[in-house]
Amino acid sequence: MTRVAFIGLGNMGGGMAACQAKAQRAVSAFDLSAAAVEKALAAGCSAAGSVAEAVRDAEAVVTMLPAGPHVRSVYAEQVFPNAPAGALLIDCSTIDVESARAVAAQAREKGFRFADAPVSGGVAAAEAGTLAFMVGCDEADFAEVERVIAPMSRATIRAGDHGAGQAAKICNNMVLGASMIAVCEALALAEKLGLDPVKFHEISSQSSGQCWSLTSYCPWPGPVPAAPSNRDYEGGFATAMMLKDLKLAQEAAAKSGAAAPLGAQAEGLYALFEKLGYGGKDFSAILQLFRGQLP
Ligand code: NAD
């Protein structure tokens, strides 16, 4: 039985750890939130009292943390000093490319194998084990990374060497942020024009406006039952997280000299939405800004 340590049991990590347990792996789970650890326990994981305790006997360590600073400190202060030599370390958080490369270099120095393996798919896919993983790792390590990830994945693609997974994720989420705003603007316009937004969803889902934000994560309640729009935009992918990813994309664009004006617009709109007090709501809640219906 593979022994997996799982660190970070939030909206995404909770479902992912449960998939590992369902696959009959011995999962030792830790989060700063006691409620999150309780949920993991109910899903078949065992509860660890600290990161150090979780990783002590692990063959593989999976982390799903908010941002780069969390990943840097958890690895430097707790994973590296306590994980068994040779353990495979997989960070699935979305973070900046530099942090991913820095943690990979430290891991190599200390004799660990490391992969950045951010995911796409949202909370429903995390629970169903149908996420897409974009992996940056040494070619020789990929088969083992794929095996560890398998219970959580519908597609695992090696993007390249360390950092390449995060580069793919940042580009993907720039598309997601811009496409969600486009979908929200269109739904708000449909409503103003007297067109039933649910009918618009049906039509555009089968027309050239079709995209993931519309068909799998519809911001208008009703058409996609699993979408956060049906739960008052609770859970899901927080606006603050989307803003973090759009900032990462703009920083990367500025550093590399790429032009990304739509990504910049999306960042500005999500920054405004966060300032208005909606950083904790799912990012699809921005629909209400365009409808002029913020509570
Ligand atoms: P979340 O805030 O729900 O979960 C993060 C968890 O990490 C929290 O439970 C928090 O308590 C825990 N944590 C923070 N510091 C810790 C520490 N030092 N030790 C142990 N636990 C710690 O966030 P989430 O939505 O699950 O997102 C996690 C990552 O996945 C982010 O990088 C996000 O960008 C990315 N992501 C999220 C989604 C989504 O739809 N939510 C989709 C794809 C990628």
Side-chain angles (χ1 to χ4, degrees), residues 185-231:
E185 285 184 358
L187 285 163
L189 176 61
E191 183 183 31
K192 281 263 188 284
L193 296 176
L195 168 62
D196 176 3
V198 175
K199 185 52 75 179
F200 170 69
H201 172 274
E202 183 189 340
I203 292 166
S204 195
S205 293
Q206 297 173 71
S207 307
S208 46
Q210 186 277 334
C211 64
W212 189 88
S213 295
L214 181 72
T215 53
S216 297
Y217 212 85
C218 183
W220 196 279
V224 179
S229 52
N230 301 294
R231 307 188 296 273

Side-chain angles (χ1 to χ4, degrees), residues 7-13 30-33 36 51 64-67 70 74 78 92-94 119-123 169 217 236-238 241 244-245:
I7 315 299
L9 308 163
N11 290 326
M12 295 295 288
F30 177 73
D31 193 290
L32 295 176
S33 150
V51 175
M64 193 53 167
L65 297 163
H70 305 81
V74 164
Q78 297 169 78
C92 298
S93 327
T94 303
V119 306
S120 175
V123 174
K169 174 65 185 175
Y217 212 85
F237 184 40
M241 292 280 189
K244 174 201 70 169
D245 293 358

Side-chain angles (χ1 to χ4, degrees), residues 27-152:
V27 184
S28 184
F30 177 73
D31 193 290
L32 295 176
S33 150
V37 176
E38 278 299 311
K39 267 198 197 163
L41 200 56
C45 304
S46 64
S50 63
V51 175
E53 188 187 322
V55 304
R56 199 154 287 142
D57 295 320
E59 292 164 81
V61 175
V62 182
T63 47
M64 193 53 167
L65 297 163
H70 305 81
V71 173
R72 283 183 185 252
S73 77
V74 164
Y75 276 91
E77 292 159 27
Q78 297 169 78
V79 176
F80 294 147
N82 293 293
L88 176 62
L89 314 177
I90 305 177
D91 178 44
C92 298
S93 327
T94 303
I95 66 172
D96 57 292
V97 173
E98 287 78 14
S99 289
R101 290 192 177 138
V103 174
Q106 290 160 10
R108 193 193 299 276
E109 241 171 57
K110 292 174 192 303
F112 295 105
R113 294 164 294 157
F114 178 83
D116 48 292
V119 306
S120 175
V123 174
E127 284 166 3
T130 55
L131 292 165
F133 287 75
M134 20 205 132
V135 181
C137 69
D138 288 344
E139 202 160 6
D141 297 337
F142 182 62
E144 182 62 3
V145 172
E146 214 177 2
R147 189 188 72 78
V148 171
I149 281 173
M152 313 183 286

